[in-house]
Amino acid sequence: MSSLSRELVFLILQFLDEEKFKETVHRLEQESGFFFNMRYFEDLVTAGEWDEVEKYLSGFTKVDDNRYSMKIFFEIRKQKYLEALDRRDRAKAVDILVKDLKVFSAFNEDLFKEITQLLTLENFRENEQLSKYGDTKSARGIMLAELKKLIEANPLFRDKLQFPTLKNSRLRTLINQSLNWQHQLCKNPRPNPDIKTLFVDHMCGPPNGARAPSPVTNPLMNAAVPKPGGFPPLGAHGPFQPAPAPLPTPLAGWMANPSPVAHPAASAGPMGLGAPNNAALLKRPRTPPNNSAAIDYQTADSELVLKRTRPFGISDEVSTLPVNILPVPYNSQSHGQSSYSSDDLPRNVMMNLSQGSAVKSLDFHPLQQILLLVGTNMGEILVWELVTRERIAFKNFKVWDLAACSMPLQASLANDYTASINRVMWSPDGTLFGVAYSKHIVHIYSYTANDLRNHLEIDAHVGSVNDLAFSFPSKLCIVTCGEDKLIKVWDAATGAKQYTFEGHEAPVYSVCPHHKENIQFIFSTATDGKIKAWLYDNMGSRVDYDAPGHSSTTMAYSADGSRLFSCGTNKEGESFLVEWNESEGAVKRTYHGVGKRSVGVVQFDTTRNKFLATGDEFMVKFWDMDSVNLLTTIDADGALPASPCIRFNKDGTLLAVSTNENGVKILANSDGVRLLRSAENRPFDSSRAASVAVVKSPTMGAFPPGSAALGVSIGDRTAPVHAMMGMNVDNRSLVDVKPRVDESMDKSKVWKLAEITEASQCRSLRLPDSISAMRVSRLIYTNSGLAILALASNAVHKLWKWQRNDRNSAGKATASVMPQLWQPSSGILMTNDLSDTNPEDAVSCFALSKNDSYVMSASGGKISLFNMMTFKTMTTFMAPPPAATFLAFHPQDNNIIAIGMEDSSIQIYNVRVDEVKTKLKGHQKRITGLAFSNILNVLVSSGADSQLCVWSMDGWEKLSCKYLQIPSGRAVNPLADTRVQFHQDQIHLLAVHETQIAIYEAPKLECLKQWVPQERGPITHATYSCDSQSIYVSFEDGSVSVLTASNLRLRCRINPSAYLSPNPSMRVYPLVIAAHPSEPAQFALGLIDGGVCVLEPLEPDGQWGTTPPAENGAGTSAAAVTASTDQPQR
């Protein structure tokens, strides 16, 4: 087959795949043998469809082609045979042995005999080589990994594993080009040719009657009319199939732009949202100069072809052509804006607004541009007036009508009555704003000069509501999307559901409503990188396209609605900022300088039809829309998180940026500085009110159609003047009138932080110790709760056991009864192997088996396995370097352990066979923490690089990673430990660093809450209580703080004087802390002087302090938390 014929096969494969002919695609792959679809092959193997697996392989290789092929077929047939044996289906196993495996006896007769003997065993795992065989799923996964290596090494598959890089819908493009040439060769080319078939060459018939009017005489030339000229290009719903529904005007490409500006032509390309309405085109014909209609197919080759067609009569003069006939490149003044320079960017830091919690979303008021709406990870909503720097409205997360909520939401709130905010957004006129929460709920508030009122509560989605926006299909609506893979449209007046759009295969990440001419539509993006577009009907999505890098993406239009941009970050942390060619559904421009290892999804915004901005790599980056190169960056005087939230006001004179200290910085350019100062200097009068007028809420649904330009950015910030006509203006200024926010506070019940300063206020017990005292490096309760095990820095283990007696009938660990420092009759100690390094410099680690029978431990040397009854060393392995720095048992198999290493790797090790199964690499410094989740089937690792990584336990691939947000201005030890521990639900994750306590949600590693102590010194360690309701935190100043785990609010502080004897000559403080496995209020401290202390509340069933009341209303959050300096920074 010739090279061109081979390429034609690839074009057909692409076309079939785009048209969703999935079975035909794979049949052609197999029959042609040109492209081996590894993903399809993996799906077949995982599903155990063995006949289809071999049938697909047969298109590329046979059993006896080479040794790689033989091994591939042998592994597949052996797995099929073992699964039949595992099902006790002996007849099927014999059939496979005779028909499938016997062919290999000619190559290795002994192996075939051994396979045959498996039939005689009750369980084939009795065979030593198969003793490690797990369940079917895991066995298939292991085999699949081996098959992929064999396929990649097999020379017969060379050049067949990579599909060539093609422009989208390349075959359609070539057909369009062919038709264009045919049309140009017509003797009498018509302005609107009627293409009905591809089976014969196109030819326009002789003219019939008067010729179409020229552009000069066409009375419709100055009207906003559909795209003229040429036949309608082949779109996703072109001649191959009818459109789902006729559209009122031609809907070209993604969406045609009717504005008479210098902008690329939009046509019905491969991403067509609907078929062009040919009847509408013919009713309003237009003819290009000299009657040579250029056929607009807008592809990568369009410019070249159009240049070729000019000899047929198309003039080089573009300005006389009808709008959007020829593609016209952007220039620096292509959108009618005045000239801007980088000096117009907001750079000056004017103020820093403290929120009290991590900022998740920002939006400026569309009219009063000195009002800023903020949403936090604790569900708090704040409205700030920037001139006075006053917080003029505040709301906590609270479900208004719990009884009306769905049962899943009620169950979720019963376990954890907290929610983070994913999005806040003003309506186009600023009379409403919406809030999307991480749990099911959307709240809509009405807002006027003196009032903030509840308007709508919508139980919108199952799981998280990831985004919301306002749109205006015929009346004001709210568009939401969520974790349940749905997009929904709600009436903004009544909350009634208008539409539900289904089709995404992953959680929907963002929505972007917009309109072109009279066509209202919605773009949606999902976490798997899919982009879809929807009309307000029930006909399904009109676009199915991949975002760059398969990233979680947000989309936004320029302020005038003429240019479309997107920004997203994929699972590997690579970010993409691009401009789209709407006519093709293809990337027009990719901007350089976005981070390749971004932490979280990078946020972006547009302003003035000129600039783009992202929050990335601890700074704000700017681009000129017309240049792919980075324009400039600013760090806003530092203290920015890795991926800050950013937001421009409508005029682009102010920029809000979130900080890693739970605040928002306001940046301004010279106009912004004047705006803030002029508003500040004006007395309260009508002139001031005019500058910050408050629009009263109109009757809902009374907006005229098209009265507001909706969806022009990530969140709509443009409110055209005509949208505001007829609305009453309140002459009072928000600056001077604080809203009446619903607040109730019983001042007779003032909560107070529990301070424990004396030994008489709690029960504490220092455990007896006759062995030389060295600092305690690791500490743990046994799983039974009957003993405490400590590992000292000199590599010696100490075990304290509580005896059953009258005072302690259960024999459990308690501060009321003295335990015994236990040793076996032999008198030996459990002592780790030591390396040549100083023991004080070695990193100690251990892990206890579930049944408390043995402990795996290391202190810089080999890893030792000890018997907990006899203290004897059962085995040692893995001599350094590198040394082990953290150990964790696999939750499903005590023979498998995860070993964190000094060289930043993680080794998955099978103790029974003394074999490293795999090595995980993702950190830059030594591993300091490991935690397994059975529910999520993942391993989470942490390192001295302050990074968290999530690994799948199926194939051990890395799923996600994220760096901790280190508070600015804090001096941090470059090798500081980061510890991780799963909540009882095995979804929420506690991360402990010397600067902070943080709660993440796995596997995405979204930071839900953060607590940064202000004046207690570095954190030395922290742990969940056994019920995961509390978090015990130890500090270098000797104190211990008790936090409520659900909201990280400090409720009790234990000073060192409560459990330590005064010792002026030595500073003693806890290095490690351990929680009792069944007593939620009991914990133990391992001290730097070698001591171990057990602490409990005075009362047998007591608690450490009381939970602070939830904040409500507009009062200061700091007061609601605590008046001390240990105020939680969530």
Side-chain angles (χ1 to χ4, degrees):
M1 184 178 284
S2 70
S3 175
L4 288 179
S5 298
R6 186 174 185 272
E7 291 182 359
L8 179 59
V9 172
F10 280 112
L11 293 177
I12 295 170
L13 284 172
Q14 183 195 42
F15 171 78
L16 292 173
D17 184 63
E18 290 173 343
E19 294 298 314
K20 310 297 184 186
F21 293 109
K22 296 298 184 184
E23 292 184 14
T24 310
V25 167
H26 302 312
R27 183 68 179 270
L28 181 55
E29 290 168 352
Q30 177 221 325
E31 291 189 349
S32 68
F34 290 156
F35 172 62
F36 185 82
N37 191 324
M38 187 68 83
R39 181 174 294 181
Y40 174 62
F41 179 74
E42 290 175 4
D43 291 342
L44 291 178
V45 171
T46 303
E49 297 179 16
W50 305 120
D51 292 341
E52 289 298 319
V53 168
E54 290 208 23
K55 183 178 178 181
Y56 189 69
L57 276 171
S58 68
F60 303 89
T61 186
K62 300 293 184 291
V63 173
D64 55 357
D65 279 345
N66 58 41
R67 61 189 179 92
Y68 297 104
S69 299
M70 184 179 296
K71 177 71 169 171
I72 290 169
F73 280 97
F74 174 74
E75 290 295 331
I76 292 169
R77 294 175 183 182
K78 182 185 75 173
Q79 180 64 27
K80 182 166 60 168
Y81 176 65
L82 293 177
E83 288 184 16
L85 288 175
D86 213 21
R87 296 193 305 269
R88 313 284 185 183
D89 190 347
R90 301 279 170 153
K92 181 66 174 176
V94 170
D95 187 59
I96 295 169
L97 186 69
V98 173
K99 293 181 179 179
D100 295 335
L101 289 170
K102 190 171 178 60
V103 66
F104 300 104
S105 64
F107 304 99
N108 192 331
E109 188 174 356
D110 292 338
L111 178 61
F112 181 72
K113 287 180 180 178
E114 189 174 0
I115 291 174
T116 304
Q117 288 173 356
L118 296 178
L119 288 167
T120 66
L121 301 177
E122 181 66 25
N123 187 333
F124 65 79
R125 294 172 180 82
E126 296 172 20
N127 182 292
E128 184 178 354
Q129 295 184 46
L130 296 172
S131 61
K132 296 179 288 182
Y133 187 97
D135 57 11
T136 298
K137 179 182 177 183
S138 61
R140 287 177 182 175
I142 294 169
M143 181 193 68
L144 182 58
E146 180 67 21
L147 291 179
K148 290 169 69 175
K149 293 177 183 177
L150 291 168
I151 290 169
E152 290 167 357
N154 195 329
L156 294 176
F157 289 84
R158 192 167 297 147
D159 302 325
K160 295 181 179 180
L161 299 177
Q162 190 71 34
F163 198 85
T165 303
L166 302 174
K167 292 275 188 179
N168 293 299
S169 303
R170 179 62 182 159
L171 185 60
R172 296 178 188 275
T173 297
L174 293 174
I175 294 172
N176 276 335
Q177 292 175 357
S178 172
L179 292 172
N180 185 76
W181 280 103
Q182 293 172 31
H183 183 61
Q184 295 298 333
L185 295 172
C186 289
K187 294 181 179 179
N188 301 290
R190 292 185 177 180
N192 296 288
D194 188 12
I195 308 298
K196 294 184 177 180
T197 181
L198 299 176
F199 294 159
V200 297
D201 288 348
H202 161 70
M203 183 175 294
C204 294
N208 182 16
R211 297 176 66 170
S214 70
V216 177
T217 60
N218 188 344
L220 298 176
M221 266 299 295
N222 296 321
V225 296
K227 177 92 168 58
F231 64 89
L234 302 177
H237 303 279
F240 293 101
Q241 58 183 353
L247 299 174
T249 60
L251 199 56
W254 281 15
M255 283 292 170
N257 180 5
S259 306
V261 296
H263 189 277
S267 66
M271 305 300 295
L273 293 173
N277 186 330
N278 293 336
L281 282 170
L282 293 173
K283 287 177 183 177
R284 298 184 282 185
R286 290 203 227 150
T287 307
N290 302 324
N291 292 330
S292 287
I295 298 170
D296 192 313
Y297 40 77
Q298 285 304 301
T299 68
D301 304 313
S302 61
E303 185 176 354
L304 177 61
V305 175
L306 286 168
K307 287 179 180 177
R308 290 173 182 166
T309 63
R310 282 177 181 164
F312 289 91
I314 294 184
S315 169
D316 285 328
E317 181 60 59
V318 177
S319 61
T320 61
L321 291 176
V323 176
N324 288 345
I325 285 289
L326 295 178
V328 181
Y330 292 112
N331 57 60
S332 60
Q333 299 299 321
S334 62
H335 296 275
Q337 75 270 26
S338 59
S339 177
Y340 294 119
S341 72
S342 60
D343 295 335
D344 295 302
L345 295 171
R347 296 168 173 268
N348 304 307
V349 178
M350 301 300 294
M351 62 189 75
N352 191 348
L353 309 173
S354 178
Q355 312 301 312
S357 305
V359 174
K360 294 296 295 288
S361 183
L362 302 160
D363 197 23
F364 278 97
H365 195 282
L367 300 181
Q368 303 170 71
Q369 297 185 53
I370 54 173
L371 294 186
L372 178 66
L373 176 63
V374 181
T376 77
N377 68 333
M378 290 299 293
E380 298 158 337
I381 307 158
L382 307 95
V383 179
W384 291 89
E385 200 282 320
L386 302 184
V387 173
T388 61
R389 306 186 188 187
E390 287 186 84
R391 190 181 67 183
I392 57 177
F394 176 86
K395 285 280 188 180
N396 264 317
F397 171 71
K398 182 180 182 182
V399 177
W400 302 342
D401 187 358
L402 187 59
C405 295
S406 62
M407 292 308 296
L409 175 56
Q410 293 187 38
S412 175
L413 293 173
N415 292 329
D416 181 12
Y417 197 90
T418 60
S420 174
I421 289 175
N422 290 328
R423 170 72 74 188
V424 292
M425 181 169 292
W426 292 100
S427 64
D429 64 348
T431 60
L432 301 173
F433 66 77
V435 185
Y437 290 99
S438 61
K439 289 185 179 178
H440 301 247
I441 289 288
V442 168
H443 279 163
I444 308 298
Y445 290 89
S446 64
Y447 186 74
T448 55
N450 59 354
D451 210 359
L452 175 66
R453 295 188 179 183
N454 301 348
H455 176 60
L456 290 174
E457 181 173 69
I458 304 172
D459 193 345
H461 294 272
V462 178
S464 175
V465 185
N466 294 332
D467 199 11
L468 67 75
F470 289 90
S471 69
F472 209 117
S474 58
K475 56 185 175 182
L476 188 63
C477 291
I478 304 143
V479 183
T480 64
C481 65
E483 196 174 7
D484 55 7
K485 307 174 186 178
L486 301 177
I487 301 104
K488 298 182 182 181
V489 182
W490 313 85
D491 188 316
T494 65
K497 184 165 63 180
Q498 307 293 301
Y499 302 97
T500 298
F501 301 131
E502 302 181 39
H504 277 292
E505 297 176 356
V508 186
Y509 181 74
S510 70
V511 288
C512 176
H514 195 57
H515 71 270
K516 296 280 187 178
E517 297 188 57
N518 295 321
I519 308 300
Q520 299 277 347
F521 57 95
I522 303 166
F523 280 121
S524 62
T525 70
T527 55
D528 60 359
K530 287 293 183 183
I531 298 174
K532 293 181 182 288
W534 318 79
L535 299 179
Y536 290 84
D537 56 25
N538 296 307
M539 304 304 296
S541 70
R542 305 302 212 276
V543 162
D544 187 351
Y545 203 63
D546 290 327
H550 297 279
S551 54
S552 296
T553 297
T554 51
M555 307 185 80
Y557 279 89
S558 56
D560 62 5
S562 65
R563 300 172 70 172
L564 177 63
F565 303 89
S566 74
C567 183
T569 306
N570 62 20
K571 294 178 181 178
E572 288 71 40
E574 188 173 7
S575 297
F576 303 85
L577 177 64
V578 302
E579 179 177 5
W580 291 89
N581 184 328
E582 291 185 81
S583 63
E584 294 179 27
V587 172
K588 172 186 175 63
R589 184 180 278 120
T590 299
Y591 296 91
H592 304 157
V594 193
K596 299 302 181 185
R597 292 178 60 86
S598 303
V599 179
V601 178
V602 170
Q603 296 198 19
F604 87 117
D605 204 358
T606 72
T607 186
R608 295 193 173 193
N609 302 318
K610 180 63 177 174
F611 298 115
L612 299 168
T614 65
D616 185 25
E617 298 183 314
F618 305 95
M619 64 182 77
V620 182
K621 301 177 179 179
F622 296 95
W623 289 262
D624 185 307
M625 288 181 178
D626 298 318
S627 173
V628 298
N629 295 318
L630 188 64
L631 178 63
T632 188
T633 63
I634 56 174
D635 65 0
D637 296 341
L640 301 188
S643 299
C645 301
I646 63 170
R647 195 61 156 172
F648 287 105
N649 68 344
K650 185 181 73 173
D651 291 342
T653 58
L654 301 176
L655 176 65
V657 186
S658 66
T659 73
N660 59 14
E661 297 173 332
N662 301 332
V664 175
K665 289 188 178 182
I666 304 299
L667 282 64
N669 62 11
S670 55
D671 290 336
V673 172
R674 282 192 290 271
L675 171 66
L676 295 173
R677 289 177 178 170
S678 62
E680 183 179 18
N681 294 331
R682 285 179 193 155
F684 174 60
D685 57 21
S686 58
S687 64
R688 177 178 178 183
S691 68
V692 285
V694 178
V695 181
K696 286 186 176 179
S697 179
T699 304
M700 296 304 300
F703 296 91
S707 64
L710 298 166
V712 297
S713 185
I714 304 170
D716 192 78
R717 292 187 302 283
T718 60
V721 174
H722 59 81
M724 307 284 78
M725 294 176 65
M727 297 182 182
N728 296 324
V729 176
D730 192 334
N731 286 332
R732 292 172 294 176
S733 168
L734 255 176
V735 174
D736 300 284
V737 183
K738 291 190 178 181
R740 292 191 300 271
V741 185
D742 294 335
E743 291 186 67
S744 59
M745 185 174 182
D746 185 354
K747 296 187 178 180
S748 65
K749 300 178 181 179
V750 179
W751 175 85
K752 186 178 180 180
L753 174 71
E755 288 268 10
I756 296 178
T757 58
E758 299 177 1
S760 61
Q761 294 178 283
C762 68
R763 286 190 288 170
S764 66
L765 175 67
R766 185 174 176 117
L767 306 189
D769 191 355
S770 58
I771 304 174
S772 60
M774 298 287 284
R775 64 181 172 85
V776 178
S777 300
R778 293 290 184 266
L779 189 70
I780 191 173
Y781 282 85
T782 58
N783 294 294
S784 63
L786 305 178
I788 289 178
L789 178 67
L791 173 58
S793 60
N794 61 354
V796 175
H797 298 77
K798 302 175 187 179
L799 180 66
W800 289 271
K801 289 185 176 182
W802 274 258
Q803 306 299 317
R804 286 185 173 89
N805 54 38
D806 293 340
R807 296 180 59 196
N808 187 14
S809 58
K812 286 192 174 183
T814 174
S816 303
V817 176
M818 189 71 71
Q820 175 189 359
L821 179 60
W822 194 86
Q823 283 182 271
S825 57
S826 63
I828 63 172
L829 299 175
M830 286 191 292
T831 305
N832 281 332
D833 174 71
L834 290 171
S835 65
D836 296 333
T837 59
N838 184 347
E840 289 290 327
D841 297 331
V843 177
S844 300
C845 55
F846 64 19
L848 192 62
S849 65
K850 296 177 191 174
N851 58 8
D852 297 333
S853 297
Y854 51 88
V855 61
M856 197 85 67
S857 184
S859 297
K862 294 180 182 178
I863 300 173
S864 301
L865 180 64
F866 295 101
N867 184 309
M868 286 281 284
M869 296 298 296
T870 64
F871 282 14
K872 289 182 178 179
T873 304
M874 300 170 65
T875 185
T876 60
F877 55 95
M878 281 199 182
T885 55
F886 205 91
L887 300 167
F889 280 99
H890 193 290
Q892 298 156 9
D893 189 346
N894 262 346
N895 291 305
I896 297 176
I897 56 174
I899 307 173
M901 309 298 286
E902 194 174 32
D903 67 353
S904 78
S905 67
I906 302 164
Q907 300 193 18
I908 307 302
Y909 178 78
N910 190 314
V911 180
R912 176 180 294 176
V913 297
D914 189 20
E915 181 183 21
V916 175
K917 291 295 186 183
T918 188
K919 184 181 287 188
L920 313 180
K921 294 184 178 180
H923 291 272
Q924 283 74 51
K925 297 181 181 179
R926 63 179 169 84
I927 305 301
T928 59
L930 297 168
F932 283 98
S933 170
N934 243 336
I935 291 178
L936 298 177
N937 205 35
V938 298
L939 167 68
V940 176
S941 61
S942 59
D945 55 1
S946 303
Q947 183 182 199
L948 309 178
C949 293
V950 180
W951 313 85
S952 168
M953 287 161 56
D954 288 332
W956 298 109
E957 69 273 15
K958 185 163 68 173
L959 302 179
S960 59
C961 61
K962 185 167 288 188
Y963 285 91
L964 298 181
Q965 298 179 7
I966 305 300
S968 64
R970 297 289 291 267
V972 179
N973 179 354
L975 292 177
D977 286 358
T978 301
R979 302 290 175 82
V980 286
Q981 181 187 5
F982 270 107
H983 185 280
Q984 206 173 43
D985 63 12
Q986 294 195 46
I987 295 174
H988 293 92
L989 182 79
L990 172 66
V992 182
H993 186 264
E994 66 174 28
T995 64
Q996 64 186 278
I997 300 294
I999 304 296
Y1000 289 82
E1001 186 172 13
K1004 296 180 182 179
L1005 292 181
E1006 179 186 2
C1007 185
L1008 305 178
K1009 307 175 187 72
Q1010 186 185 39
W1011 185 72
V1012 180
Q1014 298 301 303
E1015 296 179 3
R1016 309 305 305 178
I1019 294 170
T1020 58
H1021 202 224
T1023 184
Y1024 274 122
S1025 60
C1026 64
D1027 60 1
S1028 296
Q1029 299 302 303
S1030 302
I1031 298 174
Y1032 300 115
V1033 188
S1034 60
F1035 292 86
E1036 204 171 283
D1037 68 352
S1039 66
V1040 177
S1041 292
V1042 184
L1043 311 181
T1044 300
S1046 61
N1047 55 20
L1048 296 189
R1049 290 179 182 269
L1050 177 66
R1051 70 169 190 258
C1052 179
R1053 184 165 51 229
I1054 304 167
N1055 289 308
S1057 56
Y1059 68 91
L1060 291 176
S1061 301
N1063 186 357
S1065 63
M1066 183 177 182
R1067 186 167 69 99
V1068 180
Y1069 58 89
L1071 287 174
V1072 287
I1073 188 166
H1076 193 286
S1078 58
E1079 298 292 335
Q1082 185 187 137
F1083 61 89
L1085 302 173
L1087 306 177
I1088 194 170
D1089 67 353
V1092 174
C1093 290
V1094 176
L1095 281 81
E1096 293 176 308
L1098 276 178
E1099 299 300 322
D1101 297 321
Q1103 294 184 349
W1104 298 104
T1106 58
T1107 303
E1111 295 175 350
N1112 185 26
T1116 170
S1117 61
V1121 179
T1122 173
S1124 77
T1125 56
D1126 265 341
Q1127 176 181 325
Q1129 305 296 310
R1130 288 156 291 163

